[in-house]
PDB file of all heavy atoms in Angstrom:
ATOM      1  N   ILE A 233      13.811 -16.729   9.587  1.00 87.00           N
ATOM      2  CA  ILE A 233      12.437 -16.235   9.546  1.00 87.00           C
ATOM      3  C   ILE A 233      12.360 -14.898  10.284  1.00 87.00           C
ATOM      4  O   ILE A 233      12.946 -14.745  11.353  1.00 87.00           O
ATOM      5  CB  ILE A 233      11.487 -17.241  10.217  1.00 87.00           C
ATOM      6  CG1 ILE A 233      11.711 -18.633   9.672  1.00 87.00           C
ATOM      7  CG2 ILE A 233      10.042 -16.809  10.081  1.00 87.00           C
ATOM      8  CD1 ILE A 233      11.371 -18.833   8.250  1.00 87.00           C
ATOM      9  N   THR A 234      11.661 -13.945   9.682  1.00 87.00           N
ATOM     10  CA  THR A 234      11.547 -12.631  10.319  1.00 87.00           C
ATOM     11  C   THR A 234      10.105 -12.160  10.242  1.00 87.00           C
ATOM     12  O   THR A 234       9.259 -12.802   9.632  1.00 87.00           O
ATOM     13  CB  THR A 234      12.441 -11.593   9.607  1.00 87.00           C
ATOM     14  OG1 THR A 234      12.173 -11.669   8.211  1.00 87.00           O
ATOM     15  CG2 THR A 234      13.898 -11.837   9.889  1.00 87.00           C
ATOM     16  N   GLY A 235       9.875 -11.011  10.840  1.00 87.00           N
ATOM     17  CA  GLY A 235       8.568 -10.381  10.731  1.00 87.00           C
ATOM     18  C   GLY A 235       7.538 -11.045  11.620  1.00 87.00           C
ATOM     19  O   GLY A 235       7.862 -11.710  12.601  1.00 87.00           O
ATOM     20  N   PRO A 236       6.256 -10.892  11.267  1.00 89.00           N
ATOM     21  CA  PRO A 236       5.171 -11.451  12.087  1.00 89.00           C
ATOM     22  C   PRO A 236       5.320 -12.956  12.313  1.00 89.00           C
ATOM     23  O   PRO A 236       4.939 -13.472  13.357  1.00 89.00           O
ATOM     24  CB  PRO A 236       3.921 -11.161  11.263  1.00 89.00           C
ATOM     25  CG  PRO A 236       4.284 -10.040  10.378  1.00 89.00           C
ATOM     26  CD  PRO A 236       5.738 -10.152  10.114  1.00 89.00           C
ATOM     27  N   MET A 237       5.913 -13.646  11.333  1.00 88.00           N
ATOM     28  CA  MET A 237       6.129 -15.084  11.472  1.00 88.00           C
ATOM     29  C   MET A 237       6.953 -15.399  12.702  1.00 88.00           C
ATOM     30  O   MET A 237       6.691 -16.341  13.439  1.00 88.00           O
ATOM     31  CB  MET A 237       6.901 -15.585  10.257  1.00 88.00           C
ATOM     32  CG  MET A 237       6.131 -15.659   9.007  1.00 88.00           C
ATOM     33  SD  MET A 237       5.326 -17.221   8.902  1.00 88.00           S
ATOM     34  CE  MET A 237       6.747 -18.270   8.589  1.00 88.00           C
ATOM     35  N   LEU A 238       8.013 -14.620  12.912  1.00 89.00           N
ATOM     36  CA  LEU A 238       8.927 -14.861  14.027  1.00 89.00           C
ATOM     37  C   LEU A 238       8.286 -14.407  15.331  1.00 89.00           C
ATOM     38  O   LEU A 238       8.350 -15.102  16.351  1.00 89.00           O
ATOM     39  CB  LEU A 238      10.233 -14.105  13.777  1.00 89.00           C
ATOM     40  CG  LEU A 238      11.345 -14.293  14.807  1.00 89.00           C
ATOM     41  CD1 LEU A 238      11.839 -15.724  14.807  1.00 89.00           C
ATOM     42  CD2 LEU A 238      12.513 -13.361  14.517  1.00 89.00           C
ATOM     43  N   ARG A 239       7.647 -13.257  15.287  1.00 90.00           N
ATOM     44  CA  ARG A 239       7.068 -12.720  16.524  1.00 90.00           C
ATOM     45  C   ARG A 239       5.889 -13.560  16.983  1.00 90.00           C
ATOM     46  O   ARG A 239       5.596 -13.628  18.166  1.00 90.00           O
ATOM     47  CB  ARG A 239       6.663 -11.263  16.316  1.00 90.00           C
ATOM     48  CG  ARG A 239       7.850 -10.362  16.089  1.00 90.00           C
ATOM     49  CD  ARG A 239       7.463  -8.911  16.133  1.00 90.00           C
ATOM     50  NE  ARG A 239       6.719  -8.503  14.955  1.00 90.00           N
ATOM     51  CZ  ARG A 239       7.274  -8.108  13.819  1.00 90.00           C
ATOM     52  NH1 ARG A 239       8.590  -8.064  13.715  1.00 90.00           N
ATOM     53  NH2 ARG A 239       6.547  -7.746  12.789  1.00 90.00           N
ATOM     54  N   ALA A 240       5.208 -14.216  16.039  1.00 90.00           N
ATOM     55  CA  ALA A 240       4.107 -15.098  16.433  1.00 90.00           C
ATOM     56  C   ALA A 240       4.612 -16.235  17.312  1.00 90.00           C
ATOM     57  O   ALA A 240       3.875 -16.779  18.130  1.00 90.00           O
ATOM     58  CB  ALA A 240       3.414 -15.661  15.198  1.00 90.00           C
ATOM     59  N   ALA A 241       5.900 -16.584  17.145  1.00 90.00           N
ATOM     60  CA  ALA A 241       6.465 -17.640  17.978  1.00 90.00           C
ATOM     61  C   ALA A 241       7.026 -17.078  19.283  1.00 90.00           C
ATOM     62  O   ALA A 241       7.639 -17.805  20.058  1.00 90.00           O
ATOM     63  CB  ALA A 241       7.554 -18.373  17.213  1.00 90.00           C
ATOM     64  N   GLY A 242       6.858 -15.798  19.506  1.00 89.00           N
ATOM     65  CA  GLY A 242       7.248 -15.229  20.792  1.00 89.00           C
ATOM     66  C   GLY A 242       8.644 -14.653  20.844  1.00 89.00           C
ATOM     67  O   GLY A 242       9.171 -14.403  21.920  1.00 89.00           O
ATOM     68  N   VAL A 243       9.262 -14.426  19.679  1.00 88.00           N
ATOM     69  CA  VAL A 243      10.595 -13.816  19.690  1.00 88.00           C
ATOM     70  C   VAL A 243      10.439 -12.302  19.535  1.00 88.00           C
ATOM     71  O   VAL A 243       9.918 -11.841  18.530  1.00 88.00           O
ATOM     72  CB  VAL A 243      11.465 -14.374  18.549  1.00 88.00           C
ATOM     73  CG1 VAL A 243      12.853 -13.766  18.595  1.00 88.00           C
ATOM     74  CG2 VAL A 243      11.534 -15.877  18.620  1.00 88.00           C
ATOM     75  N   PRO A 244      10.859 -11.545  20.529  1.00 88.00           N
ATOM     76  CA  PRO A 244      10.647 -10.087  20.456  1.00 88.00           C
ATOM     77  C   PRO A 244      11.658  -9.425  19.552  1.00 88.00           C
ATOM     78  O   PRO A 244      12.590  -8.774  20.001  1.00 88.00           O
ATOM     79  CB  PRO A 244      10.819  -9.640  21.914  1.00 88.00           C
ATOM     80  CG  PRO A 244      11.734 -10.653  22.502  1.00 88.00           C
ATOM     81  CD  PRO A 244      11.530 -11.938  21.765  1.00 88.00           C
ATOM     82  N   TYR A 245      11.526  -9.601  18.278  1.00 87.00           N
ATOM     83  CA  TYR A 245      12.502  -9.053  17.346  1.00 87.00           C
ATOM     84  C   TYR A 245      11.793  -8.270  16.253  1.00 87.00           C
ATOM     85  O   TYR A 245      11.250  -8.824  15.303  1.00 87.00           O
ATOM     86  CB  TYR A 245      13.353 -10.185  16.748  1.00 87.00           C
ATOM     87  CG  TYR A 245      14.618  -9.691  16.085  1.00 87.00           C
ATOM     88  CD1 TYR A 245      15.716  -9.322  16.848  1.00 87.00           C
ATOM     89  CD2 TYR A 245      14.703  -9.592  14.710  1.00 87.00           C
ATOM     90  CE1 TYR A 245      16.878  -8.858  16.246  1.00 87.00           C
ATOM     91  CE2 TYR A 245      15.859  -9.130  14.106  1.00 87.00           C
ATOM     92  CZ  TYR A 245      16.948  -8.771  14.876  1.00 87.00           C
ATOM     93  OH  TYR A 245      18.087  -8.312  14.281  1.00 87.00           O
ATOM     94  N   ASP A 246      11.770  -6.976  16.415  1.00 86.00           N
ATOM     95  CA  ASP A 246      11.178  -6.082  15.428  1.00 86.00           C
ATOM     96  C   ASP A 246      12.176  -4.953  15.250  1.00 86.00           C
ATOM     97  O   ASP A 246      12.550  -4.296  16.227  1.00 86.00           O
ATOM     98  CB  ASP A 246       9.839  -5.551  15.945  1.00 86.00           C
ATOM     99  CG  ASP A 246       9.118  -4.705  14.911  1.00 86.00           C
ATOM    100  OD1 ASP A 246       9.794  -3.901  14.243  1.00 86.00           O
ATOM    101  OD2 ASP A 246       7.890  -4.837  14.780  1.00 86.00           O
ATOM    102  N   ILE A 247      12.627  -4.724  14.036  1.00 85.00           N
ATOM    103  CA  ILE A 247      13.706  -3.739  13.843  1.00 85.00           C
ATOM    104  C   ILE A 247      13.272  -2.356  14.278  1.00 85.00           C
ATOM    105  O   ILE A 247      14.098  -1.539  14.645  1.00 85.00           O
ATOM    106  CB  ILE A 247      14.161  -3.704  12.379  1.00 85.00           C
ATOM    107  CG1 ILE A 247      14.385  -5.116  11.898  1.00 85.00           C
ATOM    108  CG2 ILE A 247      15.445  -2.931  12.229  1.00 85.00           C
ATOM    109  CD1 ILE A 247      14.857  -5.201  10.519  1.00 85.00           C
TER     110      ILE A 247
END
Side-chain angles (χ1 to χ4, degrees):
Chain A
I233 310 294
T234 50
M237 287 272 288
L238 183 65
R239 294 190 287 274
V243 182
Y245 196 78
D246 185 318
I247 312 182

